[in-house]
Amino acid sequence: MASPLSPELAIRMRRAAFNRALADADLAAIGPILAADTVLVAGTDSALITGRKAQLLAWKREFAAVERSIYTRTPETITLSPIAPIAFEQGNWQGVSASDGAVQASGAYTAKWRQLGSDWVIEAELYLTLA
């Protein structure tokens, strides 16, 4: 019988799946990784995107853009709560041009995850644009 994944590995795998879904413009793969009431605070203008539906709509617009960007989040640390099924992910993000791979923006981020059943979902993401 296979042993279950550690919470840290499960979160890292969900992040990798989210990155793949962004690269592939796959809305159907993004949805299950987001909590229904997820919150995203953008890096430069601090735009607030509240809820899974709103975030999927924002990604749909991004995927349809003539000059589409591909965003990647690279986790450095995952901190698990010892008292609740929640965790913080911290790392770096980068947006590159889909057409030529040129870096358009980058920075740091923090994401809050919650385990719902056997899955980890993103409850909140906060981005800081550094370049």
Side-chain angles (χ1 to χ4, degrees), residues 8-27:
E8 181 176 344
L9 182 56
I11 289 168
R12 288 181 182 277
M13 290 179 67
R14 294 286 273 185
R15 176 56 72 192
F18 195 86
N19 284 337
R20 275 191 311 277
L22 291 178
D24 295 341
D26 186 352
L27 287 173

Side-chain angles (χ1 to χ4, degrees), residues 6 17 25 31 43 45 50 62 69 73 80 92 96 98 104 110:
S6 72
D45 61 5
T50 304
E62 177 67 31
S69 299
R73 286 92 160 145
L80 298 164
N92 297 300
V96 301
Q104 298 171 319
T110 297

